[in-house]
């Protein structure tokens, strides 16, 4: 059965007829065309589908769309503003934090949630926050370096 | 390969009474908490339900308060909130450590206490896609006739892998359950069955409402063995509580990941003094080895899990004992 779902995606209000059994990832990718959120394991094991729901990281592949009614969803598409990359996007680009790029949207959204609650994380905090995000290319070192670099960029911008 | 999500209707009741009513009107309906276990299993065709009743908006399940009886944790409290609580860290450290090590940070933002206690048992022959299981003639736990782990056995050997249950069991936690027949209290240690196909004693359409933790009897700790530092379910998990009084230390140990239900060892002989320590912890390790019966339910050998759970239990017990020495 379809019902009306009201929520905000990257700041824009949305009202759509959505089936009860639709997952958030299918809603974002198939119904809203936001294919930046990646479908990896489809079982909550890889973190590629991480988005923010009311500022907290959530796995879109194990979240029902209707469980997000009234919520504010943020996806990788909402990171850049007016054509300018976010600090995390720039840092991943400059530090080679992305190789094939498939895990990158999930990594960046999980890292975004981390930097909002802890603007100056040490390596342990970064590892814990990204513990649910798998990368098969980089070996993680450059991802951790990218998150540190983004934190430094944000601190500079704020100063 | 993952199948399409089966069709179901989804309800969002806003009171406990409405949630129980919604569950009782459709006998095959299922309660949905964080969804990190149930949604995945539905997607793999392991669970069928025409109706899901989301418990996310039920305020009675979000309690997190100290009462005259002890700390009350609602079944809907998130694992991240348990792990971050200074109160839990100070008085029930095993619980905070267990919550902190469940899956990954993102899972813990939605996974709940009640969901963790009720999570389905796991097995190499069960947690697979539909076509994988079908090509193997399914298994005893779902649709099949034999257990591929123990083909001559009469029961499912899937392993219970919840991290929170042992940590709560050493602290003698008590559950409040609610269902069509009313509300009842049950010790967590009596909540589980040694049967992988039906690991807990919830009656049909019954749910966990809250968990009560009375004043702690000692210091506790939790440790687990897994292949990766995050995401993985425990190959084995151990919670230990050490009650140090005068010259004696009494240990309570609970184990997970090794059997179809968590195991509580609460009649262990006490440790007298430092002179006995080495022999005591060796004997403790042997006792733990004999208490568990890991099966071929994971890719890691059962024998290795038996040895490692015993070593981990002795290590945690010794650590707590040493911290308690003057």
């Amino acid at each position: 059965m379809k019902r009306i779902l009201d929520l905000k995606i990257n700041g824009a209000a949305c009202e759509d007829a959505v089936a009860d059994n639709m997952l958030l990832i299918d809603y974002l990718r198939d119904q809203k065309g936001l294919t930046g959120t990646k479908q990896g394991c489809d079982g909550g094991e890889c973190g590629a589908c991480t988005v923010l729901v009311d500022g907290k990281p959530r796995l879109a592949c194990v979240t029902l769309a209707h469980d997000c009614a009234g919520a504010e969803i943020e996806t990788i598409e909402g990171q850049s503003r007016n054509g300018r990359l976010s600090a995390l996007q720039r840092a991943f680009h400059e530090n080679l934090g992305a190789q094939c790029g498939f895990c990158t949207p999930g990594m960046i959204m999980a890292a975004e949630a981390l930097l909002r609650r802890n603007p100056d994380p040490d390596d342990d905090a970064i590892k814990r926050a990204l513990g649910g995000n798998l990368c098969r290319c980089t070996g993680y070192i450059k991802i951790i370096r990218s998150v540190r670099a983004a934190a430094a960029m944000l601190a500079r911008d704020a100063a | 390969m993952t199948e399409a999500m089966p069709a179901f209707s989804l309800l969002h009741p806003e009171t406990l009474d409405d949630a129980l009513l919604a569950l009782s009107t459709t006998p095959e309906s299922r309660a949905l908490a964080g969804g990190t276990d149930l949604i995945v299993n539905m997607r793999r065709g392991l669970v069928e339900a025409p109706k899901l009743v989301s418990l996310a908006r039920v305020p009675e399940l979000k309690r997190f308060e100290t009462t005259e009886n002890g700390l009350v944790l609602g079944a809907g409290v998130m694992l991240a909130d348990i792990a971050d609580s200074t109160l839990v860290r100070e008085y029930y450290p095993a619980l905070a450590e267990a919550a902190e090590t469940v899956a990954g940070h993102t899972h813990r933002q939605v996974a709940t206490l009640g969901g963790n206690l009720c999570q389905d048992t796991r097995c190499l022959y069960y947690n697979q896609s539909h076509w994988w299981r079908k090509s193997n003639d399914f298994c005893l736990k779902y649709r099949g006739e034999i257990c591929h782990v123990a083909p001559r056995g009469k029961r499912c050997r899937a392993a219970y892998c919840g991290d929170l249950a042992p940590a709560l069991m050493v602290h003698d936690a008590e559950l409040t359950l609610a269902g069509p027949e009313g509300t009842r209290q049950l010790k967590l240690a009596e909540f589980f069955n040694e049967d992988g196909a039906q690991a807990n004693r919830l009656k049909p359409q019954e749910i966990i409402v809250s968990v009560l933790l009375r004043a702690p009897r000692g210091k506790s700790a939790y440790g687990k063995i897994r292949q990766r530092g995050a995401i993985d379910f425990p190959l084995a998990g151990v919670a230990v509580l050490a009650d140090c009084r005068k010259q004696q230390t009494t240990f309570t140990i609970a184990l997970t990941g090794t059997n179809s239900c968590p195991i509580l060892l609460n009649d262990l002989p006490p440790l007298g003094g430092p002179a006995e320590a080495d022999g005591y912890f060796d004997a403790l390790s042997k006792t733990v080895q004999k208490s568990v019966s890991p099966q071929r339910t994971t890719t890691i050998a059962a024998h290795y899990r038996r040895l490692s759970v015993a070593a981990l239990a002795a290590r945690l017990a010794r650590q707590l004992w040493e911290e308690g020495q003057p």
Side-chain angles (χ1 to χ4, degrees):
Chain A
M1 190 180 78
K2 283 191 176 180
R3 284 185 291 141
I4 297 295
L5 172 66
D6 279 306
L7 42 65
K8 271 189 174 177
I9 303 177
N10 299 325
C14 299
E15 189 183 74
D16 291 296
V18 174
D20 276 4
N21 68 342
M22 183 168 251
L23 291 164
L24 180 60
I25 188 160
D26 296 330
Y27 171 66
L28 291 172
R29 288 179 58 88
D30 300 345
Q31 208 157 328
K32 306 309 287 179
L34 296 171
T35 53
T37 302
K38 297 296 179 227
Q39 200 155 16
C41 67
D42 248 355
E45 294 170 39
C46 77
C49 65
T50 306
V51 297
L52 304 191
V53 177
D54 289 334
K56 288 190 171 179
R58 290 279 290 267
L59 298 167
C61 78
V62 294
T63 304
L64 293 171
H66 276 289
D67 262 347
C68 303
E72 173 99 38
I73 314 281
E74 290 168 78
T75 69
I76 189 72
E77 287 89 349
Q79 278 276 307
S80 62
R81 297 280 152 88
N82 303 321
R84 186 175 156 75
L85 297 181
S86 70
L88 271 165
Q89 286 174 313
R90 263 184 292 148
F92 269 70
H93 174 61
E94 288 166 9
N95 292 277
L96 305 179
Q99 283 187 23
C100 87
F102 196 84
C103 73
T104 313
M107 287 283 181
I108 288 184
M109 296 318 287
E112 172 74 30
L114 167 69
L115 295 183
R116 283 188 201 172
R117 66 173 192 279
N118 178 3
D120 185 23
D122 58 19
D123 282 4
D124 264 359
I126 297 171
K127 285 180 193 172
R128 271 202 303 277
L130 301 184
N133 294 71
L134 299 185
C135 171
R136 303 286 78 176
C137 306
T138 63
Y140 302 102
I141 302 292
K142 290 175 179 175
I143 290 174
I144 293 166
R145 196 180 294 157
S146 303
V147 178
R148 273 207 317 261
M153 267 183 221
L154 289 167
R156 266 201 312 275
D157 291 350
Chain B
M1 194 169 95
T2 311
E3 292 78 15
M5 183 64 109
F8 54 78
S9 62
L10 176 68
L11 296 183
H12 284 101
E14 298 193 354
T15 67
L16 182 57
D17 286 345
D18 285 352
L20 295 172
L21 184 68
L23 284 164
S24 63
T25 50
T26 310
E28 304 82 25
S29 59
R30 290 285 300 255
L32 171 70
T36 51
D37 192 40
L38 183 63
I39 295 288
V40 178
N41 285 351
M42 289 188 79
R43 196 83 187 275
R44 294 210 165 129
L46 296 168
V47 176
E48 291 161 17
K51 181 162 89 182
L52 292 188
V53 179
S54 169
L55 304 177
R57 296 177 199 162
V58 178
E60 290 97 322
L61 302 178
K62 305 279 181 193
R63 287 175 71 194
F64 198 133
E65 58 194 21
T66 310
T67 67
E68 56 186 19
N69 292 327
L71 177 65
V72 176
L73 296 170
V77 171
M78 309 299 177
L79 300 189
D81 294 335
I82 295 174
D84 292 344
S85 159
T86 47
L87 188 73
V88 176
R89 287 201 165 278
E90 180 165 357
Y91 295 103
Y92 311 99
L95 178 60
E97 288 161 16
E100 174 85 56
T101 58
V102 173
H105 176 78
T106 313
H107 301 85
R108 297 193 291 272
Q109 303 293 325
V110 289
T112 65
L113 168 60
N116 191 272
L117 292 176
C118 296
Q119 81 178 32
D120 200 0
T121 53
R122 301 185 63 80
C123 178
L124 204 54
Y125 295 93
Y126 175 69
N127 298 99
Q128 300 287 355
S129 63
H130 178 83
W131 66 263
W132 192 102
R133 288 176 292 118
K134 189 180 173 192
S135 67
N136 208 24
D137 278 342
F138 296 102
C139 75
L140 195 59
K141 185 164 162 65
Y142 192 63
R143 291 194 192 181
E145 285 173 11
I146 61 162
C147 170
H148 301 294
V149 170
R152 288 185 194 161
K154 294 271 187 282
R155 74 162 178 89
C156 166
R157 298 277 172 173
Y160 178 80
C161 297
D163 286 292
L164 267 58
L168 289 164
M169 278 161 87
V170 297
H171 282 291
D172 200 20
E174 199 175 306
L175 303 176
T176 297
L177 311 173
E181 293 168 25
T183 302
R184 62 178 175 135
Q185 264 75 36
L186 187 68
K187 290 269 188 199
L188 180 61
E190 292 159 17
F191 179 66
F192 296 100
N193 285 322
E194 179 71 288
D195 179 357
Q198 184 58 55
N200 66 53
R201 295 186 176 152
L202 279 178
K203 292 178 183 169
Q205 312 317 111
E206 196 174 40
I207 59 170
I208 300 179
V209 176
S210 61
V211 177
L212 172 68
L213 284 162
R214 296 185 191 276
R217 286 182 298 114
K219 277 279 172 200
S220 65
Y222 180 77
K224 76 197 260 189
I225 298 154
R226 52 182 168 179
Q227 282 161 292
R228 298 177 291 193
I231 309 176
D232 287 351
F233 286 89
L235 295 167
V238 182
V240 181
L241 180 124
D243 183 3
C244 305
R245 288 185 202 177
K246 296 181 185 164
Q247 298 302 310
Q248 279 202 338
T249 304
T250 309
F251 294 100
T252 307
I253 293 180
L255 311 160
T256 188
T258 59
N259 289 54
S260 294
C261 67
I263 292 180
L264 178 65
L265 306 177
N266 59 359
D267 54 358
L268 297 164
L271 165 59
E276 296 173 18
D278 287 343
Y280 180 87
F281 290 114
D282 282 348
L284 183 71
S285 171
K286 297 269 182 335
T287 305
V288 171
Q289 269 188 49
K290 285 180 192 158
S291 309
V292 297
S293 49
Q295 306 284 324
R296 290 183 304 116
T297 54
T298 75
T299 52
I300 303 298
H303 180 61
Y304 173 81
R305 285 157 62 212
R306 183 192 295 276
L307 293 180
S308 51
V309 71
L312 180 59
R315 189 190 304 161
L316 284 177
R318 181 183 272 277
Q319 194 181 308
L320 286 171
W321 173 74
E322 284 175 354
E323 284 168 11
Q325 294 304 296

